[in-house]
């Protein structure tokens, strides 16, 4: 099943994000290579593809996992969690409707 992983950053998370990003992206690449990643990205703090020092307010990952417990375990092991980037992470089952 697909799951949405919705993460909210702590204030001023940019430097922590920069440091943990290579490991974070490497884990996403594993999901992508396995055909289990639908989309992943960050929420810029301002309306800009490159928010500069304004940074980001969180992240969204849509990925396939056998269960919500496994999605939660995967999210809990994220390098951004270990680096203290995220203040909160929420996992929600996701059912794609469109495009078909």
């Amino acid at each position: 099943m697909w799951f949405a992983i919705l993460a909210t950053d702590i204030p001023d998370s940019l430097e922590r994000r920069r440091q943990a990003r290579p490991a974070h992206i490497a884990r996403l690449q594993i999901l992508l290579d396995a055909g289990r990643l639908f989309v992943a990205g960050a929420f810029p703090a301002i309306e800009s593809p490159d928010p500069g020092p304004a940074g980001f307010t969180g992240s969204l990952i849509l990925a396939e996992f056998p269960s919500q417990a496994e999605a939660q375990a995967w999210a809990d092991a994220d390098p951004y969690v270990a680096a203290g980037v995220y203040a909160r992470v929420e996992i929600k089952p996701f059912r794609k409707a469109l495009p078909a």
Side-chain angles (χ1 to χ4, degrees), residues 4-5 10-11 13-14 21 32-33 41 58 67 72 79 83 90 92 98:
I5 301 171
I10 63 166
S13 64
L14 187 57
R21 189 171 193 275
L32 181 63
D33 292 346
S67 68
Q72 185 69 58
E90 185 176 4
K92 293 185 174 197
L98 293 172

Side-chain angles (χ1 to χ4, degrees), residues 7-99:
T8 303
D9 282 23
I10 63 166
D12 301 315
S13 64
L14 187 57
E15 188 52 39
R16 290 180 189 206
R17 270 183 170 272
R18 285 183 179 148
Q19 290 176 8
R21 189 171 193 275
H24 172 76
I25 295 297
R27 291 182 80 236
L28 290 169
Q29 187 65 50
I30 292 168
L31 288 178
L32 181 63
D33 292 346
R36 296 173 47 206
L37 182 65
F38 183 73
V39 69
F43 300 116
I46 60 173
E47 188 178 346
S48 172
D50 180 2
F56 300 89
T57 62
S59 302
L60 168 67
I61 299 166
L62 285 174
E64 188 174 29
F65 293 93
S67 68
Q68 188 160 350
E70 291 185 54
Q72 185 69 58
W74 187 90
D76 289 345
D78 193 294
Y80 280 176
V81 171
V85 171
Y86 295 148
R88 183 178 74 250
V89 177
E90 185 176 4
I91 312 294
K92 293 185 174 197
F94 178 79
R95 189 183 76 170
K96 182 182 172 201
L98 293 172

